[in-house]
Each structure stands twice: as C-alpha cells, then as structure tokens.
Amino acid sequence: MASLMIPDHLQHVIQADRPLAPLVWLGIGGPARFFAEPVEMEQLQQLAQWAHENSLTVRILGSGSNLLVRESGFDGLVISLAAAATSGLTLQDNQLIAGAGGQLSHAIVKAVGGGLGGLEHLVGIPGSIGAAVVGNVASGGRDIGAVVDSVRILEDDGSLKNLGKDDISFTHQKSSLAGLRVVEVTFQLEPTDAGQMTKRLQKLWIARNASIPAEMERIAAPFVDPDAMSARELISSVGLSGIREGEVSLDPAQPQYLLAHPGATSEHCLKLIERVREQVLLQTGIDLQLNLQIW
C-alpha cells in the first residue's frame, strides 16, 4: 500500500495504524489506516479536504457504542469528534447548541440544568449526539428529531453546510442524515422548571437503568426496535434470549443487547446477528433492521 504524504500542518494531528478496538464498546476490531482527533473546527475541515484530495474514505467516530469494526480494520481516515471543539455544549436562549461528538447524556443534563425540556425522556440511551440524531433515537414514543432545529454537516471538500429542520426528514429510528458527517446540532427546547425536571430525570434514569444488563462492558444493541413491538419482546417471543455464537451472546434477561466475551470476533457477532434475523423473519415475518454500524 503506497504511503500518503501528510502535510506539515496535519503531521501532529494524524496517526497511522491506530487500533480501534479500545475505542468501541464491543472492544473488537483492527486499526484505522489513519486516525485523527482535531482540536479545532479548522483542523476538522483541513482533514476532510486532505482525505478528499487523496481519495480516502472518511468515517466519523462518536462514542463507539453502536459500532462493530472488523479485524481487518478500516482502510481510510477515522475522525474522532471527542475533543472540546467538536463536543461542546452551549445554551443560547431556548436552544442547546451541541457538538456532534458530545455525549447525549451530557446534553440532557446540560439542558435540564438550564431549565430546558425536550431531551430528558432520552436519558439512559448511550452514544454521541451526532449518532443519536442520525439514528433518530426515541423513547416513550418521542424521538430526538422532534426537537432538532438545524444541523451542520461537513462536506467532502471540507466546507460546512447548514441544514434546517425543513431540510431533514425523520422517520422511525432513521433520518435523511444517514451517510452525512454531522458535526453540530442545534436543539429547540422548551423552558421548564429545573427542579421538577431534575426529579423527573432521576426517576427516568432509575427506570432505564433497570433495563440495562449488569454486564455493561463490551455490549451493543444491534437491532432497531420495529414499529409494532420492541426488539426485546420480539427476540424473547421466538425463544432466542441468551443464544450464543462463538464468544458472543444475547443477554438472557435483556436479549436486545449483544455481549462480547473474551475471545469474541467480528465474525462471531455477524453470525449471531444473522441467526437472530433469520429466525425472527422465519417465525414472525418481521425483518429486524440493524442499529449497529459495521466497518
């Protein structure tokens, strides 16, 4: 593989052959050919431009909670948005302006602390803000798309483009943002009493926490909840709770979660996911859709 020339102004930002397994929840996967964590927006734009000029595929890494990386790794540029410049949270009037690399949980706490409601029902859902918006996460019958006012995306040439809510379509755990590089989201929220909202947040967190497996390391939720019923109910109804493939299994009590045990591989994960999808389709006629990104 021919080496690429990294320009002087990006030498200190780009790493070669960075292992990805420690950066994803499942703890599986090979290295990224190139990896960068820009500390300012201008660097992010320069990285995108460099990758475009060198025909490198770019992937954005959030928290890694819904990502499976193959052992062969990723032959392109992985950009982490974990730095302050791309994960910051700012309250402005009734809006929360959030860097896509920030944690959804932090955005909820920031909004509630500022007396703004509209995100609190999503408490306990893991992942970054960017991934949550792209996947239109939902809980209690309400999705995050309902409070998205605008989104800023990174174009191939490094330019930034703003999309208003009228430019984005949100459907059941999907959005028209799939495949785009979201770097910032502005939420339109409602003023509310911070004290009452904090109490509500605590109750919601306790309820959500009770539905998460005790084994919280090396875990992922691979399936999107279908319209009719939850993935948990569906998988339980066809008798697949706790099934195992190699060194991965579904949690016996919360089978919507996949657990990676020592020695787990991406192949084990993919085989288990395919077994579950085949059996659910055969027994119920429902085609379970993937929540998990696969690199």
Side-chain angles (χ1 to χ4, degrees), residues 112-147:
V112 168
L116 294 175
L119 291 173
E120 66 286 342
H121 61 287
L122 302 171
V123 69
I125 296 178
S128 66
I129 292 160
V133 171
V134 171
N136 195 26
V137 297
S139 181
R142 289 180 293 160
D143 60 43
I144 197 169
V147 291

Side-chain angles (χ1 to χ4, degrees), residues 47-290:
L47 286 164
Q49 188 175 21
W50 173 75
H52 181 59
E53 289 168 354
N54 289 280
S55 302
L56 281 174
T57 303
V58 176
R59 291 282 185 272
I60 299 294
L61 178 67
S63 67
S65 62
N66 69 332
L67 179 59
L68 174 63
V69 180
R70 290 185 174 90
E71 279 73 16
S72 55
F74 178 70
D75 185 23
L77 171 65
V78 172
I79 299 177
S80 166
L81 298 183
T86 47
S87 65
L89 301 167
T90 304
L91 293 176
Q92 194 172 71
D93 298 322
N94 294 335
Q95 292 186 329
L96 173 64
I97 302 164
Q103 298 300 299
L104 178 59
S105 58
H106 295 172
I108 293 167
V109 170
K110 179 82 170 179
V112 168
L116 294 175
L119 291 173
E120 66 286 342
H121 61 287
L122 302 171
V123 69
I125 296 178
S128 66
I129 292 160
V133 171
V134 171
N136 195 26
V137 297
S139 181
R142 289 180 293 160
D143 60 43
I144 197 169
V147 291
V148 171
D149 183 69
S150 64
V151 166
R152 179 174 282 190
I153 61 169
L154 178 68
E155 300 274 52
D156 283 345
D157 63 2
S159 62
L160 297 171
K161 180 180 178 181
N162 289 319
L163 299 176
K165 57 185 176 184
D166 295 337
D167 301 317
I168 311 164
S169 66
F170 290 101
T171 53
H172 177 67
Q173 298 204 359
K174 285 184 181 178
S175 78
S176 58
L177 297 167
L180 301 180
R181 302 177 199 129
V182 174
V183 296
E184 188 179 88
V185 181
T186 298
F187 297 103
Q188 186 66 47
L189 304 174
E190 292 291 330
T192 187
D193 181 84
Q196 289 181 353
M197 189 59 67
T198 299
K199 289 177 184 176
R200 179 159 185 258
L201 194 62
Q202 289 168 344
K203 288 178 182 177
L204 286 167
W205 174 246
I206 291 167
R208 181 60 60 89
N209 218 24
S211 68
I212 298 174
E215 176 63 60
M216 266 300 285
E217 290 187 4
R218 305 193 69 184
I219 187 174
F223 305 111
V224 171
D225 284 332
D227 283 316
M229 63 197 303
S230 69
R232 174 189 177 184
E233 293 169 322
L234 194 60
I235 294 167
S236 296
S237 73
V238 296
L240 295 177
S241 299
I243 70 160
R244 188 171 182 126
E245 177 73 47
E247 296 304 325
V248 302
S249 64
L250 296 187
D251 187 74
Q254 307 288 341
Q256 72 273 31
Y257 290 104
L258 181 149
L259 307 177
H261 309 288
T265 67
S266 61
E267 191 63 26
H268 294 160
C269 294
L270 293 170
K271 281 185 177 178
L272 179 62
I273 287 167
E274 195 52 39
R275 275 178 64 190
V276 172
R277 293 188 72 193
E278 282 180 1
Q279 283 300 309
V280 167
L281 183 60
L282 188 67
Q283 296 187 48
T284 70
I286 296 173
D287 185 10
L288 269 178
Q289 297 301 301
L290 278 187

